[in-house]
């Protein structure tokens, strides 16, 4: 007998990702993968994490292994508040944030807490795939705001706010996945003004902001909210240790208005009771030990070198067949096939040919909620050494 | 300005727990608490967990700190399958289960995957509080099946199945929270027959089955399903390491039909991407090291002694003012005030008086979805030493 119980209606709103199918092909021997969306595990500070977990098990084993508060382990909340302050986000106390099981869970809790079926939510086009599906599972009707090299276009965003009266606006303002774009300072202020003016909640997802290569990016929306009166009441900020320290800890956090955090905490109680206290105590000890600045410096330097190598190789090997903005941080080059010289301008087609040549990347179309731009590609330089990046781009040239 | 964004309609289905209010009173100095629902942190095998996490960071740091498969870390899935087999659950391979962030997340994924607003779900009366709220957040309309000392009454259950055609039936067959009841072997078989006969899914939540004091309880529904043809197609089994090893790891698992696990995995991808690989690799190393049998023996012996002490004290101090079935496992005594001798038969009233006397417990009424039995109480013996149990029951006598 097959399984006969009907699934919930909400599952009709999501589909298995096209990217998952592509990932199945990545097992091919010798393939160079630009397809990932994760940090390089060779950069993890294993010794630092080992010291941290051993300190946690020595100093606070009872708490680190027991059930904990749904809002988060208090020593970690305090360390995260200090970490946020060190990045220029003033006025965020330990109780102004809750710990989440990775920032993915922050998105899930926002969906669970805020989205009724049919509610409009504005996202960037393109945006993070798991966000699209996460919000759709709660019945969100997604509206796409256009993005350029300076991030979301605020004039278009305002028109969409007026037209759709969304429940909230979801943005990755700094080195977004997949666009790599960085929202300009001017537009950041404008977004906060729009939040106040239209009384609309803005969600700033910021997993990549720490990974800048040269100058620091403009302040986060959260940091800038001090300059725009009233905007903190309409702002959620999601942070994560996944891209710098370790995704395996599953430690993220969410800063937001007290009323929202209270409801999100109630929902989290029934989602997973609390985030692993074992992981939380480890993260707290790591931050307390003061290792984060050196870890940040290291990963920034390595990713900067790889991003530069990929940009140089793409420009010299692919020339005018491809266009892209050189990323100033993050893990991704977001590029567009121009079709110059009669070459293919279809990212999906090129992805298949590239696999045959021994290199993989993710076509850009699935990152759009609608009107996909089929000429786009997402290339991650994060997990590939400089020589292999050059070799991979050479294979891409052959595929093209 | 207050927060002005309206919350999702689904939040109207849940309320802040009455128990949470009570827990705020527990900070009173010198109070003896029978109110908890958690294991004793003094029993955690800290040395074993320390060895396990250090082995994980030595042998598999890259995997333990990186993103992992949503279905679970494969070495842990294999260890969990072996653990299940050691408890008599044959035919459960590593790929027949997915790892969840505590078994609370298994409940959440069942709600997300299966429950459309208005769907009926049958639960026991009384049942686990966080289950009630978890399913209600997805819009479930809960129907209560009556429980006695032998667990859920299967005749009544069948009538409710026919009347309500539920999406699924949620049971804690072994030492349930709060009832402590143990479903008899005969009724276990009957539940599986009902599942096949009415083509209805049964969810067996089994966080306490390992904590038996004398003889082992009857086989799990999962183990017995081998004897009832077709029943495995209508059965989900949720397991957890929280009550025996450590709640702080947040490692649970769910065994079920492949079609259901596939959808639950998709939903989990958007809930938290995956359970902490750091915690999963640690749990896998712990199980692999073969420490579990000794840990089980230790916790069973300690909780058995405490359960006996509480039962003896309740009988000798409270006499015919209270009635209960002596628990054969788990963490709880579920009792009923009889009103004998003109004493109070209101658990909520007694809970308040008890706090004044320096002892806390949880009144039973909130554990019912409807028609609460206000005479009931839940007393946990798990975290209190034998002498303090006797003192606590003496205070209860004074309160009564």
């Amino acid at each position: 007998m097959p399984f006969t119980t009907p699934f919930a209606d909400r599952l009709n709103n999501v589909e298995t990702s096209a990217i998952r199918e592509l990932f199945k092909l990545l097992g091919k021997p010798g393939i160079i993968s630009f397809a990932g969306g994760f940090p390089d595990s060779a950069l993890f500070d294993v010794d630092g994490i080992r010291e941290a977990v051993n300190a946690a098990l020595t100093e606070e084993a009872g708490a680190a292994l027991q059930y904990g508060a749904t809002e988060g382990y208090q020593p970690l909340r305090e360390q995260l508040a200090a970490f946020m302050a060190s990045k220029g986000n003033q006025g965020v106390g330990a109780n102004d944030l809750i710990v989440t099981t990775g920032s993915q869970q922050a998105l899930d809790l926002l969906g669970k807490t805020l989205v009724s079926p049919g509610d409009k939510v504005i996202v960037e086009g393109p945006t993070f795939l798991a966000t699209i599906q996460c919000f759709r599972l709660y019945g969100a009707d997604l509206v796409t705001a256009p993005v350029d090299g300076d991030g979301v276009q605020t004039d278009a965003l305002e028109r969409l706010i007026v037209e759709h009266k969304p429940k909230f606006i979801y943005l990755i303002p700094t080195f977004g996945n997949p666009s790599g774009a960085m929202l300009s300072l001017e537009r950041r202020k404008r977004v906060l003004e729009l939040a106040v003016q239209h009384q609309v909640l803005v969600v700033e997802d910021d997993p990549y902001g720490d990974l800048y290569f040269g100058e620091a990016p403009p302040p986060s929306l959260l940091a800038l909210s001090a300059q725009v009166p009233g905007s903190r009441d309409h702002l959620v900020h999601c942070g994560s240790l996944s891209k710098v320290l370790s995704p395996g800890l599953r430690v993220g956090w969410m800063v937001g208005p007290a009323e929202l955090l209270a409801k999100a905490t109630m929902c989290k109680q029934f989602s997973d009771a609390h985030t692993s206290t074992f992981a939380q105590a480890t993260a707290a000890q790591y931050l307390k030990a003061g290792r984060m600045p050196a870890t940040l410096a290291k990963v920034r330097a390595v990713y900067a070198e790889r991003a530069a190598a990929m940009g140089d190789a793409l420009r010299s090997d692919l020339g005018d067949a491809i266009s892209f903005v050189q990323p100033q941080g993050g893990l991704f080059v977001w590029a567009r096939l121009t079709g110059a010289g009669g070459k293919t301008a279809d990212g999906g087609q090129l992805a298949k040919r590239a696999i045959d040549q021994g290199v993989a990347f993710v076509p850009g179309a699935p990152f759009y909620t609608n009107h996909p731009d089929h000429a786009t590609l997402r290339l991650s330089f994060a997990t590939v050494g400089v020589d292999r990046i050059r070799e991979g781009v050479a294979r891409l040239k052959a595929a093209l």
Side-chain angles (χ1 to χ4, degrees), chain A:
Chain A
M1 278 294 296
F3 183 68
T4 53
T5 308
F7 292 110
D9 297 338
R10 70 180 64 81
L11 300 200
N12 299 335
N13 300 332
V14 295
E15 53 203 18
T16 304
S17 143
I19 291 185
R20 289 208 126 197
E21 299 306 306
L22 182 74
F23 271 71
K24 288 180 186 162
L25 302 171
L26 291 185
K28 201 178 147 181
I31 211 153
I32 295 174
S33 177
F34 301 142
F38 42 86
D40 189 344
S41 46
L43 300 180
F44 294 152
D45 180 7
V46 179
D47 290 340
I49 291 170
R50 188 196 308 272
E51 277 180 28
V53 70
N54 281 292
L57 290 175
T58 300
E59 297 168 21
E60 49 189 340
L65 299 175
Q66 186 57 280
Y67 285 109
T70 303
E71 294 87 344
Y73 186 54
Q74 202 62 22
L76 177 60
R77 295 172 89 191
E78 284 161 16
Q79 289 295 333
L80 290 174
F83 181 51
M84 293 296 288
S86 76
K87 298 194 287 176
N89 299 283
Q90 301 303 321
V92 179
N95 294 333
D96 298 323
L97 61 89
I98 65 171
V99 177
T100 57
T101 305
S103 57
Q104 182 66 45
Q105 191 189 43
L107 305 183
D108 185 62
L109 293 175
L110 288 169
K112 208 170 188 177
T113 308
L114 292 170
V115 178
S116 291
D119 280 353
K120 299 284 179 73
V121 173
I122 296 180
V123 300
E124 291 161 291
T127 192
F128 179 44
L129 267 175
T131 303
I132 297 174
Q133 308 282 41
C134 173
F135 293 160
R136 280 189 175 155
L137 264 177
Y138 290 103
D141 183 3
L142 299 182
V143 175
T144 301
V147 167
D148 60 29
D150 286 329
V152 70
Q153 296 171 17
T154 43
D155 290 350
L157 180 62
E158 181 164 25
R159 283 192 299 273
L160 292 170
I161 293 169
V162 171
E163 182 183 345
H164 295 287
K165 307 203 183 319
K167 205 60 172 287
F168 59 86
I169 299 159
Y170 170 84
L171 303 174
I172 314 178
T174 312
F175 317 133
N177 178 3
S179 75
M182 192 172 72
L183 191 64
S184 67
L185 178 60
E186 188 188 9
R187 287 189 183 175
R188 284 173 194 242
K189 288 184 181 157
R190 185 73 191 125
V191 165
L192 292 170
E193 288 163 4
L194 291 174
V196 176
Q197 188 180 334
H198 297 280
Q199 298 279 300
V200 62
L201 186 68
V202 172
V203 175
E204 174 179 50
D205 193 6
D206 189 28
Y208 304 103
D210 294 325
L211 297 177
Y212 54 84
F213 303 148
E215 267 182 81
S220 67
L221 293 178
L222 180 61
L224 282 174
S225 66
Q227 300 176 28
V228 182
S231 60
R232 267 293 282 281
D233 293 328
H234 303 284
L235 185 62
V236 167
H237 176 100
C238 304
S240 172
L241 295 178
S242 292
K243 302 305 186 286
V244 172
L245 184 59
S246 154
L249 294 175
R250 308 306 301 127
V251 171
W253 63 95
M254 176 160 66
V255 182
E259 299 91 326
L260 177 60
L261 293 188
K263 294 289 186 190
T265 299
M266 186 194 70
C267 285
K268 179 171 167 62
Q269 203 185 339
F270 311 123
S271 289
D272 65 359
H274 60 86
T275 296
S276 167
T277 39
F278 182 62
Q280 287 189 77
T282 300
Q285 289 280 356
Y286 188 90
L287 290 166
K288 186 175 137 196
R291 282 177 168 267
M292 203 55 159
T295 299
L296 276 167
K298 178 177 158 188
V299 297
R300 282 172 188 154
V302 172
Y303 293 143
E305 188 190 15
R306 291 176 183 174
M310 181 174 273
D312 291 345
L314 287 171
R315 277 183 291 270
S316 74
D317 281 8
L318 275 61
D320 64 357
I322 198 167
S323 73
F324 61 95
V325 176
Q326 179 69 33
Q328 299 172 57
L331 305 176
F332 306 109
V333 170
W334 177 250
R336 202 166 179 286
L337 298 171
T338 62
K343 298 197 176 67
T344 184
D346 185 305
Q349 194 179 65
L350 182 62
K352 286 189 193 110
R353 283 197 225 156
I355 294 271
D356 293 337
Q357 294 293 332
V359 61
F361 64 87
V362 179
F367 293 97
Y368 293 84
T369 55
N370 50 30
H371 309 302
D373 181 347
H374 290 280
T376 52
L377 336 168
R378 190 191 76 176
L379 302 154
S380 172
F381 45 79
T383 58
V384 188
V386 165
D387 289 345
R388 296 282 284 170
I389 285 175
R390 291 191 189 116
E391 169 63 21
V393 174
R395 293 181 187 179
L396 207 56
K397 181 184 180 182
L400 194 68

